[in-house]
């Protein structure tokens, strides 16, 4: 199990995201303690299908993040379509319709950078499949703040651009296939060198 000092995990994903998230999120056990906050690139007029879909599959409760809502442990939150999702210093959500960042809203970088400021070394950052470089600078900020950084192996990503950009941006802690990301999150982080891809 993930070490207790981690309070939150942010996940950034774009093209191929539903499949990638479908490998990871349903495998998180009901006692997984960090809050899980996902920025998934969606069509601006998307409905709540992804929230409803994962709510049926996951042991953890699944929500769309709402303005001023407190980030609770042991829950999965999705950024709303066409809104940036920010984490405030008091560990509450904030929504923004500011200009798109790297053509995206929600922006992975905006979520990651604000989460890094709020959680520091108690944050896990995960970059999965995607077709642009959104999330690379945000993951680098998480690394600089002392958080744990994980990137999907570009060779097994549906679209490799986003993982490759993240790996180029900082010395990530783990580069793993999706099943091994699940193993890492569920089995613990005490012996990094014993895990695949290290």
């Amino acid at each position: 199990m993930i070490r207790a000092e981690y309070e939150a995990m942010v996940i950034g994903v774009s093209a191929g995201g539903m499949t990638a998230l479908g490998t990871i999120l349903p495998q998180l056990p009901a006692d997984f303690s960090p809050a899980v906050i996902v920025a998934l690139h969606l069509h601006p007029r998307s409905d709540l299908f992804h929230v409803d879909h994962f709510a049926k599959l996951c042991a953890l409760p699944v929500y769309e993040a709402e303005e001023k809502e407190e980030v609770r442990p042991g829950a999965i939150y999705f950024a709303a379509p066409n809104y940036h999702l920010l984490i405030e210093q008091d560990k509450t959500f904030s929504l923004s319709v500011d200009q798109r960042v790297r053509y995206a809203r929600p922006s992975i970088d905006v979520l990651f950078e604000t989460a890094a400021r709020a959680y520091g070394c108690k944050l896990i950052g995960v970059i999965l499949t995607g077709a642009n470089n959104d999330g690379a600078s945000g993951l680098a900020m998480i690394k600089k703040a002392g958080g744990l950084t994980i990137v999907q192996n570009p060779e097994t990503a549906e679209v490799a651009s986003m993982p490759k950009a993240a790996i180029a941006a900082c010395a990530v802690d783990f580069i793993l296939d999706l099943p091994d990301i699940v193993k890492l999150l569920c089995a613990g982080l005490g012996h990094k060198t014993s895990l695949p891809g290290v």
Side-chain angles (χ1 to χ4, degrees):
M1 195 62 63
I2 207 83
R3 289 202 306 263
E5 64 260 32
Y6 291 107
E7 295 181 358
M9 176 169 68
V10 287
I11 300 175
V13 62
S14 185
M18 289 294 288
T19 300
L21 291 172
T23 301
I24 293 175
L25 298 183
Q27 300 302 316
L28 299 178
D31 59 351
F32 187 81
S33 60
V36 180
I37 308 157
V38 183
L40 168 64
H41 290 167
L42 293 165
H43 189 280
R45 292 188 294 276
S46 294
D47 58 18
L48 294 180
F49 166 78
H50 56 293
V51 176
D52 295 337
H53 174 74
F54 285 110
K56 294 173 184 175
L57 298 177
C58 296
L60 299 172
V62 181
Y63 308 102
E64 183 176 80
E66 296 185 1
E67 177 76 17
K68 304 302 181 187
E69 181 180 9
E70 182 180 355
V71 182
R72 299 191 302 273
I76 299 169
Y77 297 94
F78 280 89
N82 210 28
Y83 286 89
H84 293 309
L85 181 62
L86 298 80
I87 311 296
E88 303 292 345
Q89 292 297 312
D90 63 356
K91 314 291 176 59
T92 60
F93 291 119
S94 179
L95 305 181
S96 165
V97 291
D98 286 348
Q99 193 169 17
R100 293 173 181 271
V101 177
R102 294 180 175 83
Y103 309 104
R105 191 173 60 211
S107 160
I108 298 166
D109 279 327
V110 169
L111 172 61
F112 279 28
E113 290 166 9
T114 57
R117 287 192 285 269
Y119 288 100
C121 64
K122 297 182 179 181
L123 180 66
I124 303 165
V126 182
I127 291 288
L128 304 177
T129 176
N132 61 18
N133 64 348
D134 192 17
S137 65
L139 195 72
M141 185 173 288
I142 292 173
K143 178 72 174 181
K144 185 176 180 180
L148 184 78
T149 53
I150 304 169
V151 175
Q152 182 180 359
N153 181 356
E155 294 182 2
T156 59
E158 186 170 331
V159 183
S161 302
M162 211 156 74
K164 285 182 176 179
I167 291 166
C170 66
V172 301
D173 295 300
F174 293 98
I175 302 169
L176 300 171
D177 296 344
L178 292 174
D180 292 323
I181 293 175
V182 174
K183 290 177 185 177
L184 175 66
L185 296 173
C186 295
L189 303 168
H191 303 285
K192 289 186 180 181
T193 54
S194 68
L195 291 159
V198 178

